[in-house]
Amino acid sequence: MTEWPPGYDRIILTEVDSTLDEAVRRVGEVAAPTWIFAHHQSAARGRRGRTWSHPKGNFAATLVLPDVTPGVLAALRSFVASLALFDAFVAATGRIDPFAVKWPNDVLLNGGKVAGILLESISRQGAAPALAIGIGVNLAEAPPEDAVEAGALRPVALAQEAGAHVPPEEFLTLLAGAYADHETRLRQFGFAPLRQAWLERAARLGEVITARLPGEEITGVFETVDASGQLVLSTAEGRKVIAAADVFF
């Protein structure tokens, strides 16, 4: 049985508007890395203000890291979180092959999106800034395909695609343990070993993908992610290094 990782706290809530919003409200109270988990969110959100569906039995939590301030190292936590999700899925299903990570912040199952990650710097008056890592997982049910934007990957759920029925609190323990391991690795050895592990699990590496930026789309071969976690594409106009974008394929 997986144990809760030492040095990490947790707050379990029945219902909340958003675990990210709850993290903002509690940021001044959090002294150690703390998972804020809710069985239900009434106003869940994803990247760029998009809504995130939270049917019963799905997973929603935010990890608050009080000692991490904005910057490159903070942004690298999306890789830590995606690797932790990957490991939690493997632990829950006993399978590796159907899972992959997608730059910058998704985890895939059989080519569909099963989990998303959202990083935000949070603060309140009188409190030091912290990093919040919001994570949503379709454990029991996926939203309908018409609920996502055109061209986006189909949403999938762990129960339907992998036949694994995992209670959300049990998944939290799996995820927290995996996250703690990768976080320790980042702090001790830097990004290089995590970057290599992420690339070994990356979807569409070496294939043509499209990065959509505000007012621009860049299509090219997914060459790598660099030492800062930026996407590197090989295009007809040369090598393009992209710090933030939505990726389509």
Side-chain angles (χ1 to χ4, degrees):
M1 176 120 181
T2 303
E3 296 182 354
W4 188 259
Y8 285 73
D9 293 336
R10 56 185 153 180
I11 298 168
I12 307 296
L13 303 170
T14 301
E15 183 170 351
V16 73
D17 50 356
S18 159
T19 58
L20 277 165
D21 291 339
E22 186 68 13
V24 173
R25 290 189 286 267
R26 292 179 181 253
V27 64
E29 309 166 13
V30 171
T34 300
W35 286 93
I36 300 174
F37 167 89
H39 285 281
H40 179 68
Q41 293 183 114
S42 59
R45 55 191 171 87
R47 292 183 74 228
R48 307 187 194 282
R50 297 168 185 146
T51 58
W52 180 274
S53 177
H54 188 174
K56 184 178 180 180
N58 279 5
F59 176 89
T62 293
L63 173 60
V64 180
L65 297 176
D67 62 341
V68 177
T69 54
V72 173
L73 279 176
L76 294 179
R77 264 50 182 216
S78 65
F79 294 90
V80 180
S82 60
L83 287 170
L85 278 164
F86 187 99
D87 288 352
F89 286 134
V90 172
T93 64
R95 299 176 61 193
I96 295 175
D97 55 292
F99 300 101
V101 292
K102 175 177 176 282
W103 191 91
N105 56 7
D106 295 333
V107 181
L108 309 185
L109 167 57
N110 293 333
K113 180 175 175 176
V114 69
I117 301 161
L118 177 61
L119 270 60
E120 289 189 356
S121 177
I122 59 172
S123 63
R124 287 186 67 186
Q125 187 172 2
L131 179 68
I133 306 172
I135 296 176
V137 180
N138 300 327
L139 287 180
E141 183 180 339
E145 290 192 42
D146 59 9
V148 300
E149 64 180 310
L153 294 177
R154 68 186 178 97
V156 298
L158 192 70
Q160 284 77 30
E161 290 286 327
H165 300 270
V166 186
E169 282 197 57
E170 182 178 315
F171 189 80
L172 174 63
T173 301
L174 293 174
L175 178 59
Y179 185 92
D181 289 343
H182 288 295
E183 177 72 22
T184 297
R185 193 167 294 113
L186 176 67
R187 292 179 185 243
Q188 290 183 347
F189 304 110
F191 182 52
L194 275 75
R195 173 179 174 270
Q196 183 60 39
W198 190 94
L199 286 169
E200 290 170 359
R201 296 157 175 78
R204 302 300 178 98
L205 185 65
E207 299 182 23
V208 175
I209 63 174
T210 296
R212 185 177 296 171
L213 295 78
E216 181 184 14
E217 287 191 358
I218 301 173
T219 297
V221 174
F222 177 13
E223 185 178 316
T224 190
V225 294
D226 68 13
S228 298
Q230 299 179 107
L231 178 68
V232 180
L233 297 184
S234 176
T235 77
E237 291 75 38
R239 208 166 184 247
K240 303 286 186 180
V241 180
I242 300 166
D246 288 326
V247 167
F248 295 84
F249 41 73

